[in-house]
Amino acid sequence: MSQPPRPDWDFDYRPATPPWPEVEGARDVIVAAAAQVPEPLLREALAARARLVSVREVLACPPLFWWRVHVAAPVAEEVFAEAFAAAGADVRYVTPASIGSQRWAPPFAPLRSKPSGSSWSPRPRTEGREPRDGGSWFLGAAGGGVDADRPITGTGAGTRLAVIDDDAAGAAALALDAELLVDLVAPPRAQAHGSLMVAWAVGAARAEPPFRGVAPDASPRLYLIPKPGLSVVSLPLAIVRAVRDGADAIVCATYVEGTWSPLFDDALAYAERCGRAGRGTVVVLPAGREASSPPGSVHASFTLSFGDPAADPRVVCVAPGGHRGGWFFYRDRKQRARPFANRGPSVRLLAPGDDVAYPLDPTGRLSHAESSGASAIAAGVAALVLAVNPTLRLRELIALLETTARDVDPAADPALAPFADLHDTRPSSLDADRHNAKHGYGALTASRACLAAADPVSWALVRIGEIAAARAFHELRARGSAPSAPAYSQDLARWMVRALVMDPRASHAARALVRHARLLSPHPRRREAFPGGALARQVALLLRGFLEGTAIGAPPPRLRREIFAHLDRIARRPSIEQ
């Protein structure tokens, strides 16, 4: 009997790494407390109830308080709860320190104050040589590049980027704000992986010749953690520290498969709720490249596990793209095309991962960036967008990156043939929401994202696909030549973008306005068919809607006064269509 045809959205969806076993009664655990406790009292309380080997405070960053406790024999979670209660704090959860778990953390109490990054200095804008050919193709607009068009995107000045990695040979070539060790006594210098992540995202200013990355004026810090497999503590600890230090964006491209735990849940919740003075710090992770042939199949799965950290909805999960666009395939020894990344429902965006310039080598040789480099490049794009509009909240930033991404053809590029296995090219279609398991919602495009982030008119033009018009409007407004240039402030423009990104009514109204203008512009006489004042009324309704409240709330008082002034001006001059 013949098999029914396989749906276009289907592929061999089984992760390569087996799930970690759930462990009860571990001897090396992290106890998350609800408040800080004095160590002598805690040590005494634990020693009275268990065969205590050691206890050490791992994190005291309100509202997160983590203690690492070693006991000679496993004890029940209730024992830790009793000991911490005797020392003056409730226990939120207990989790193994070296084994992943699919448990999630209970919510923590809201902060009274927000963390700040006063010691992490932002950097001003600079100029430098930035080629767009050769290995620097990923900065350009051709093929699968991110189109870092500096007059539009800027250079990321004023933002802070944290790179978390487990090795950083060649770090001397980086102009780091700081290099910090997390659960390490010395920086690992065996491989250049972490240094490459910093360089592709920001640059290697002290390399010879200097190398400029996606956001060359973002201020980078490197957080070094132990090699994978030793614990599940170091990565979430590094995330919390980076957020507390003031990171706007965080990228971690080390091996994180199987390391989900309540600690990681806490770290992402802290980044979302406390980062950037409560606006939220974006965390970028790669899709990875774990592959195996599941039982009963001769095809490699290349599956991003739904239980891995990169699958969390608060994370921006990035897959690698090729030089020509589309998913990244490499040539094996038989010159057959093979993929270099995992795929799955949680993949959000595509960024360059093909051969790119190796920033630490003066010969200009190329290097496979893979999904690691793609995530670093994506973090650089996020920094560019946040530099253009620092008021964006995390959910608004992610929504803006998704909606401005360039569509990617899900069909395999015939120029890449022969393929080692045609199953590797699946899925071969886009869902109705534009998602594909290989490249998410599309390819990151820095110029589109920054145009949309900067101005509500540019946002509407980008959303309807009028990219050239959005660029032209941006240039006119930057020169003060656009009709809107004196009309509204930069602060109001940024707030309106936030509202348009999140509010369906306002979003539709703004796009209807620019569609109306597009239909009138080539045929001026069409204006005569519409009632006088119709356009003014539509603009006024959009502005009044902002005052009445949107999905992000009402504008602050200062911007409300500005909107009222615009409404008054429109009421006195209703013939703005002319």
Side-chain angles (χ1 to χ4, degrees):
M1 181 181 294
S2 61
Q3 295 291 326
R6 195 174 193 178
D8 289 342
W9 47 260
D10 194 16
F11 65 96
D12 292 288
Y13 183 57
R14 278 180 284 186
T17 52
W20 288 34
E22 294 290 339
V23 175
E24 295 184 4
R27 292 182 297 173
D28 178 14
V29 299
I30 297 294
V31 182
Q36 201 161 16
V37 295
E39 184 174 331
L41 286 180
L42 179 59
R43 187 179 300 277
E44 180 181 350
L46 287 168
R49 293 167 173 80
R51 294 167 56 194
L52 181 65
V53 175
S54 65
V55 58
R56 176 173 63 93
E57 186 179 64
V58 174
L59 177 67
C61 181
L64 302 181
F65 304 94
W66 298 344
W67 292 81
R68 190 161 189 166
V69 182
H70 289 254
V71 289
V75 296
E77 190 168 326
E78 292 75 15
V79 173
F80 293 111
E82 292 173 3
F84 273 77
D90 292 333
V91 168
R92 296 176 55 235
Y93 60 84
V94 180
T95 190
S98 56
I99 300 175
S101 167
Q102 290 299 305
R103 291 180 59 190
W104 58 90
F108 50 70
L111 279 178
R112 289 191 177 90
S113 61
K114 308 297 183 184
S116 64
S118 57
S119 65
W120 187 344
S121 300
R123 295 179 177 175
R125 179 163 180 160
T126 63
E127 301 292 335
R129 181 176 176 272
E130 292 187 16
R132 296 292 189 267
D133 56 356
S136 294
W137 65 270
F138 69 98
L139 294 173
V146 297
D147 191 18
D149 185 353
R150 298 304 178 202
I152 293 171
T153 65
T155 59
T159 62
R160 304 174 180 92
L161 176 67
V163 174
I164 301 173
D165 214 283
D166 59 25
D167 218 333
L174 311 173
L176 294 171
D177 178 85
E179 183 179 61
L180 298 101
L181 305 182
V182 180
D183 288 341
L184 290 173
V185 295
R189 299 288 193 234
Q191 297 179 351
H193 192 270
S195 299
L196 292 174
M197 299 304 106
V198 174
W200 285 324
V202 176
R206 296 171 183 163
E208 187 56 47
F211 183 87
R212 286 169 71 86
V214 177
D217 291 324
S219 181
R221 279 191 176 183
L222 186 56
Y223 293 77
L224 293 174
I225 62 177
K227 297 292 183 183
L230 299 177
S231 80
V232 296
V233 182
S234 303
L235 173 56
L237 183 59
I239 291 174
V240 172
R241 288 184 178 176
V243 172
R244 181 187 61 190
D245 291 346
D248 297 297
I250 298 172
V251 60
C252 176
T254 60
Y255 184 87
V256 299
E257 284 77 2
T259 60
W260 171 268
S261 73
L263 300 168
F264 197 83
D265 190 6
D266 262 354
L268 292 184
Y270 185 79
E272 182 178 48
R273 296 173 57 186
C274 306
R276 298 177 56 240
R279 295 187 184 95
T281 297
V282 61
V283 178
V284 183
L285 295 181
R289 58 167 181 161
E290 293 297 300
S292 69
S293 295
S297 174
V298 296
H299 307 291
S301 64
F302 288 104
T303 293
L304 170 64
S305 173
F306 213 52
D308 280 346
D312 190 281
R314 294 163 292 185
V315 163
V316 174
C317 176
V318 178
H323 197 313
R324 296 164 56 94
W327 212 29
F328 173 38
F329 286 84
Y330 75 100
R331 296 288 181 189
D332 64 14
R333 293 180 179 178
K334 296 182 179 180
Q335 294 302 302
R336 299 173 302 182
R338 293 183 180 273
F340 228 150
N342 290 332
R343 53 196 161 171
S346 301
V347 172
R348 204 183 281 271
L349 292 162
L350 194 75
D354 206 336
D355 287 340
V356 298
Y358 191 87
L360 310 179
D361 188 338
T363 66
R365 68 182 175 93
L366 303 182
S367 173
H368 282 340
E370 303 178 27
S371 62
S372 292
S375 64
I377 290 169
V381 172
L384 294 177
V385 176
L386 290 174
V388 167
N389 190 342
T391 70
L392 289 169
R393 294 185 175 272
L394 176 59
R395 298 183 188 194
E396 298 158 3
L397 169 66
I398 293 175
L400 192 146
L401 292 175
E402 286 182 4
T403 55
T404 60
R406 185 178 66 251
D407 288 340
V408 177
D409 186 352
D413 185 349
L416 297 175
F419 294 93
D421 186 347
L422 284 175
H423 281 74
D424 292 343
T425 67
R426 299 185 66 90
S428 56
S429 67
L430 295 176
D431 289 337
D433 62 354
R434 299 170 53 235
H435 188 274
N436 176 278
K438 295 179 294 187
H439 20 80
Y441 297 101
L444 272 171
T445 308
S447 60
R448 293 186 186 184
C450 290
L451 280 169
D455 182 89
V457 177
S458 294
W459 177 90
L461 289 168
V462 169
R463 289 289 283 118
I464 70 169
E466 295 292 344
I467 311 303
R471 286 176 178 269
F473 182 84
H474 176 273
E475 292 172 3
L476 288 172
R477 185 162 163 81
R479 294 200 305 261
S481 305
S484 64
Y488 51 88
S489 67
Q490 184 183 58
D491 287 345
L492 181 57
R494 289 170 168 174
W495 186 90
M496 287 192 290
V497 166
R498 292 182 53 223
L500 296 178
V501 168
M502 302 303 291
D503 192 276
R505 189 183 82 165
S507 169
H508 170 72
R511 284 180 282 174
L513 281 166
V514 296
R515 287 186 172 108
H516 174 76
R518 181 177 63 179
L519 287 164
L520 295 185
S521 60
H523 304 284
R525 295 196 62 179
R526 286 181 177 178
R527 299 177 185 178
E528 300 170 3
F530 294 91
L535 178 58
R537 179 179 62 83
Q538 294 283 6
V539 173
L541 288 174
L542 176 61
L543 294 176
R544 195 177 74 182
F546 290 148
L547 294 172
E548 293 168 349
T550 69
I552 66 168
R558 178 170 54 85
L559 298 184
R560 288 178 64 85
R561 290 192 294 271
E562 183 178 344
I563 293 173
F564 273 120
H566 294 319
L567 284 170
D568 182 64
R569 187 178 302 114
I570 293 172
R572 286 186 281 108
R573 292 184 58 202
S575 58
I576 60 174
E577 6 329 53
Q578 305 304 319

